[in-house]
């Protein structure tokens, strides 16, 4: 039995209220899984390796539960638009380019390199409507060592002529995609099989670009193959009102997905959830759905701020997302800082809403979102060693506490402060990826 023991200041997000912080602790791992975290040096057995990170922080890797991989090249562009203007002017034309496989490959390889660089080792990703480009992304993720939920997206109406699907084709391509990418399935054209680290999920873009026939068809695929759903939910007042108008029988954005049979087949992941009604709250609770807060995107292209503190207090599973390219930056750690910042704005304008504490936001970015990827998001026995080493952020002549170092990293740190990235106990490198 070969064990690897990591020494450093361990920060484990046990709960949103209180992390467990241990200086000079030893994380004992075997085959990439944490056996225990000890305060004293364990008795070494032959073959053990010790990796000493000194005063630096050992934290769980970040989970980005809402990122649009094909919007990578739009980062920081068109950010003075609101949602619909931004979609029509920038996003639909950019996503349409993914019909070309070579363009998709150029962008998707950069996305994966960037995710690793920024310490995002788990993600739930949107792609485009194209089967081929989405299959390519899935394979690149599989090779990368990252954990992901991915698929192809669906849109069969209220979309531009150059970027829209025929309903039957959308359903056929999706069923093919799901059935071919299940864990254990053969990686097309090779004798290797999908490991299950990357799993398929259904991705109807959002209710306004999907017909009822499409959503119900996707619901049947979800039930047949036991796969979950990832979409946008009540992300702006206009979007929620339009969805209700298009689906008058359902009465609310969340009920549209529920009535289509899309919920309860696997994880349900809803981005934004800015204006949840009682129905949305009931649905989130009933299906244990993840509500994904995307603070930068909220500030850039949508209007309104998720009532994150209230949802957290209500015990709803919350996670963070970058929503690149609605959000302009790939590092989830910056969303931790932004979640705190914009919650203070919300509290200022709506005093009945409370602000989010730093560790609540850190919890959402790690244990909160990590839960959808199995035993991930904590530095605790039984969890995978999916972890980052973060530099002690003290200035010369000063000494920050571990809490202060982590907070400063989230506010002003960058990838240069991430000293190592591990998934399943394997050191990941981004600069050697082609
Ligand atoms: N709603 C529908 N499509 C999108 C998208 O691409 N990004 C965001 N943030 N919201 C959307
Ligand atoms: Fe989005």
């Amino acid at each position: 039995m070969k064990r690897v023991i990591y020494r450093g200041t361990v920060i484990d997000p046990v709960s949103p209220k209180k992390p467990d912080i241990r200086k000079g602790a030893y994380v004992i791992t075997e085959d990439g899984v944490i056996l225990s975290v000890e305060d004293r040096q364990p008795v070494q057995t032959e073959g053990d390796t010790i990796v000493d990170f000194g005063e630096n922080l050992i934290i769980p890797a970040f989970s980005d539960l809402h990122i649009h991989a094909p919007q990578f090249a739009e980062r920081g562009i068109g950010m003075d638009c609101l949602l619909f203007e931004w979609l029509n002017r920038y996003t639909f034309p950019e996503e349409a380019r993914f019909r070309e496989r070579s363009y998709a490959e150029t962008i998707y390889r950069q996305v994966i390199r960037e995710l690793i660089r920024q310490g995002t080792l788990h993600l739930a990703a949107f792609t485009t409507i194209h089967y081929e480009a989405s299959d390519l992304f899935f394979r690149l993720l599989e090779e990368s060592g990252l954990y992901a939920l991915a698929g192809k997206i669906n849109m069969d109406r209220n979309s531009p002529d150059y970027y829209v699907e025929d309903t039957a084709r959308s359903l056929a391509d999706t069923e093919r995609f799901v059935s071919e990418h299940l864990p254990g399935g053969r990686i097309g054209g090779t004798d290797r099989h999908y490991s299950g680290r990357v799993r398929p999920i259904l991705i109807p873009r959002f209710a306004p670009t999907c017909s009822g026939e499409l959503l119900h068809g996707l619901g049947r695929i979800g039930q047949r193959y036991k796969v979950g759903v990832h979409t946008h939910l009540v992300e702006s007042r206009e979007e929620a009102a339009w969805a209700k108008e298009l689906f008058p029988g359902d009465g609310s954005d969340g009920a549209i997905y529920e009535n289509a049979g899309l919920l309860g087949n696997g994880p349900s992941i809803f981005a934004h959830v800015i204006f949840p009604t009682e129905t949305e709250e009931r649905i989130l609770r009933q299906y244990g759905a993840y509500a994904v807060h995307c603070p930068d995107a909220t500030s850039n292209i949508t209007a309104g701020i998720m009532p994150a503190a209230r949802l957290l207090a209500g015990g709803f599973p919350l996670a963070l997302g970058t929503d690149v390219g609605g959000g302009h930056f790939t590092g989830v750690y910056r969303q931790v800082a932004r979640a705190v910042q914009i919650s203070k704005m919300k509290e200022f304008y709506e005093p009945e809403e409370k602000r989010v504490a730093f560790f609540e936001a850190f919890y959402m970015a790690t244990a909160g979102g990590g839960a959808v990827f199995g035993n991930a998001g904590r530095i605790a026995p039984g969890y995978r060693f999916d972890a980052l080493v973060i530099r002690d952020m003290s200035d010369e002549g000063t000494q920050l506490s571990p809490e202060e170092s982590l907070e400063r990293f989230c506010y002003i740190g960058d990838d240069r402060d991430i000293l190592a990235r591990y998934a399943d106990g394997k050191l990941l490198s981004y600069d050697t990826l082609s």
Side-chain angles (χ1 to χ4, degrees), residues 63-331:
S63 293
D64 186 344
L65 249 59
H66 184 64
I67 176 171
H68 295 256
Q71 295 172 13
F72 183 75
E74 306 179 50
R75 288 166 1 274
I77 295 169
M79 299 275 88
D80 54 356
C81 297
L82 287 180
L83 179 61
F84 292 115
E85 190 187 5
W86 173 82
L87 284 174
N88 287 311
R89 263 214 229 159
Y90 296 93
T91 299
F92 292 152
E94 176 61 21
E95 289 190 14
R97 299 188 66 183
F98 284 67
R99 74 169 77 83
E100 234 182 87
R101 189 191 154 92
S102 64
Y103 183 69
E105 181 158 4
T106 302
I107 299 297
Y108 283 152
R109 283 190 186 277
Q110 290 178 80
V111 171
I112 290 172
R113 211 181 300 138
E114 175 67 5
L115 288 168
I116 297 173
R117 193 155 82 110
Q118 301 295 357
T120 300
L121 306 188
H122 316 126
L123 63 145
F126 266 52
T127 52
T128 61
I129 61 175
H130 312 102
Y131 176 92
E132 222 197 357
S134 305
D135 169 64
L136 174 73
F137 183 53
F138 201 99
R139 290 180 194 218
L140 292 173
L141 284 168
E142 172 73 32
E143 279 168 29
S144 71
L146 299 180
Y147 280 77
L149 289 160
K152 72 172 262 355
I153 75 168
N154 306 90
M155 42 200 287
D156 71 342
R157 66 165 160 172
N158 296 319
S159 308
D161 295 346
Y162 62 83
Y163 188 50
V164 65
E165 298 171 289
D166 161 79
T167 309
R169 171 87 193 268
S170 180
L171 288 170
D173 280 356
T174 303
E175 180 153 16
R176 179 177 165 214
F177 193 97
V178 167
S179 63
E180 289 179 358
H181 294 84
L182 291 169
R186 214 168 103 202
I187 305 180
T190 75
D191 53 9
R192 288 173 297 119
H193 296 264
Y194 286 113
S195 64
R197 281 195 308 272
V198 187
R199 284 176 291 144
I201 193 159
L202 299 169
I203 320 175
R205 179 172 210 119
F206 66 155
T209 56
C210 299
S211 66
E213 188 187 344
L214 177 61
L215 291 178
H216 280 81
L218 292 175
R220 284 191 291 276
I221 294 172
Q223 288 159 14
R224 188 170 317 140
Y225 296 94
K226 295 276 164 280
V227 290
V229 65
H230 178 190
T231 190
H232 297 95
L233 191 71
V234 283
E235 64 174 310
S236 75
R237 288 214 168 92
E238 292 76 12
E239 181 269 328
W242 192 19
K244 260 169 96 162
E245 195 184 306
L246 291 167
F247 293 89
D250 291 313
S252 89
D253 215 359
I256 296 169
Y257 302 106
E258 183 180 41
N259 294 338
L262 276 158
L263 308 185
N265 309 317
S268 301
I269 301 174
F270 293 121
H272 303 300
V273 197
I274 292 174
F275 301 104
T277 64
E278 270 177 29
T279 306
E280 271 83 33
E281 291 197 14
R282 194 260 308 153
I283 286 173
L284 288 175
R285 209 179 281 292
Q286 185 171 333
Y287 298 97
Y290 293 80
V292 188
H293 187 24
C294 306
D296 271 345
T298 284
S299 312
N300 292 334
I301 56 154
T302 67
I305 299 173
M306 180 203 253
R310 182 161 57 78
L311 293 176
L312 261 179
F316 293 98
L318 291 201
L320 290 184
T322 60
D323 197 18
V324 157
H328 49 277
F329 182 58
T330 40

